[in-house]
Amino acid sequence: MGRQRTTILVLGEGPTEFFYFKSLCDMFKRITVKPDYPKHTSIKELEAKIADGVAMGYSHVFCVVDMDTKDMEPERTLYQKLKAKYAKPIEKPKKGISCRVEFFETHRCTELFFLYYFHYTSRPYDEQESLIRDLNKYVEYRKTMEFFIKSKGLHGYFERNGGNLCDAIARAERSMAEKRTSGRSYTYSDLGRLIKKMAELQK
């Protein structure tokens, strides 16, 4: 893969993230954004996908992580080890590799960022279903392949139905600021920072 362009591999944990970031590709014409996800949701599979992205020459590998599956052991420890492994940029000039791996976390799951298109909340969610019910108060949403395809691009679908990406970014940043100041370990999303980083890389 050539090094003339900024190339970003966005690794989610499933089709939700794949279809969402695919819907953002038109916004980032000057960089190459490729969404992908492991076939099996596990730290081992995610690590293998990261290694593939590094070897293929991507300049950035952005991992979109649902923290509801990292609350319990052994996933919690395995995830922390994975983050530590990629804490520093990977530089292998002889192989033409220069890659930065970063992790962007949401609790419970990516659907919280979708809700932030419409409304801010810091309420705790015990399961994904209650979060998705709240999202459905603003826009029809189903966590199915059929729905993702039917929506013809999740980002555009949310905005056509009254949502706003700039609002989502601001609300996500608010959730992260509150997480830092209050120490809460739930209902936050770092995806606003990810999208702002992609915008910066496009300049």
Side-chain angles (χ1 to χ4, degrees):
M1 181 178 293
R3 303 301 299 170
Q4 290 92 6
R5 287 172 63 91
T6 297
T7 53
I8 302 171
L9 177 63
V10 180
L11 290 177
E13 296 192 58
T16 302
E17 293 79 18
F18 172 84
F19 279 98
Y20 178 67
F21 282 95
K22 187 175 177 62
S23 76
L24 291 177
C25 285
D26 286 346
M27 292 176 55
F28 300 104
K29 300 277 189 189
R30 296 179 61 190
I31 57 178
T32 300
V33 181
K34 183 181 184 297
D36 200 357
Y37 61 94
K39 292 180 180 178
H40 307 287
T41 305
S42 71
I43 298 298
K44 186 177 180 180
E45 285 277 340
L46 178 59
E47 185 171 8
K49 278 286 186 181
I50 293 171
D52 287 347
V54 172
M56 289 171 67
Y58 283 93
S59 57
H60 296 78
V61 176
F62 292 159
C63 302
V64 179
V65 180
D66 289 348
M67 295 303 288
D68 59 352
T69 60
K70 312 298 181 296
D71 286 341
M72 305 290 289
E73 298 293 357
E75 289 290 296
R76 180 187 296 162
T77 297
L78 291 171
Y79 176 58
Q80 292 302 324
K81 287 181 178 178
L82 181 63
K83 285 176 69 176
K85 178 179 179 179
Y86 290 105
K88 294 180 180 179
I90 300 160
E91 301 290 347
K92 297 181 180 179
K94 291 183 179 179
K95 294 185 178 180
I97 291 173
S98 177
C99 181
R100 185 170 183 85
V101 180
E102 294 185 68
F103 297 82
F104 299 84
E105 302 168 352
T106 298
H107 193 286
R108 298 196 66 87
C109 54
T110 298
E111 278 78 10
L112 177 67
F113 188 71
F114 300 166
L115 178 59
Y116 283 165
Y117 267 75
F118 304 91
H119 170 76
Y120 181 75
T121 185
S122 60
R123 62 161 287 197
Y125 290 97
D126 292 330
E127 73 286 316
Q128 285 191 24
E129 288 73 18
S130 57
L131 171 55
I132 291 173
R133 281 196 297 272
D134 277 359
L135 177 57
N136 271 275
K137 293 175 183 177
Y138 299 92
V139 65
E140 181 186 359
Y141 176 83
R142 301 287 179 267
K143 198 181 179 87
T144 65
M145 295 289 285
E146 182 182 10
F147 174 80
F148 294 149
I149 294 167
K150 183 182 175 182
S151 72
K152 297 181 180 178
L154 286 172
H155 162 66
Y157 172 74
F158 295 143
E159 293 215 322
R160 289 194 302 274
N161 284 277
N164 185 282
L165 177 59
C166 290
D167 290 343
I169 292 170
R171 288 164 181 153
E173 291 184 321
R174 175 183 169 186
S175 76
M176 294 302 294
E178 289 179 2
K179 177 181 183 290
R180 286 190 294 271
T181 55
S182 71
R184 80 168 186 249
S185 59
Y186 57 85
T187 317
Y188 59 85
S189 178
D190 204 19
L191 294 189
R193 183 171 68 91
L194 187 161
I195 292 170
K196 287 179 76 171
K197 180 155 285 197
M198 289 168 63
E200 290 169 7
L201 291 170
Q202 180 166 252
K203 292 177 182 177

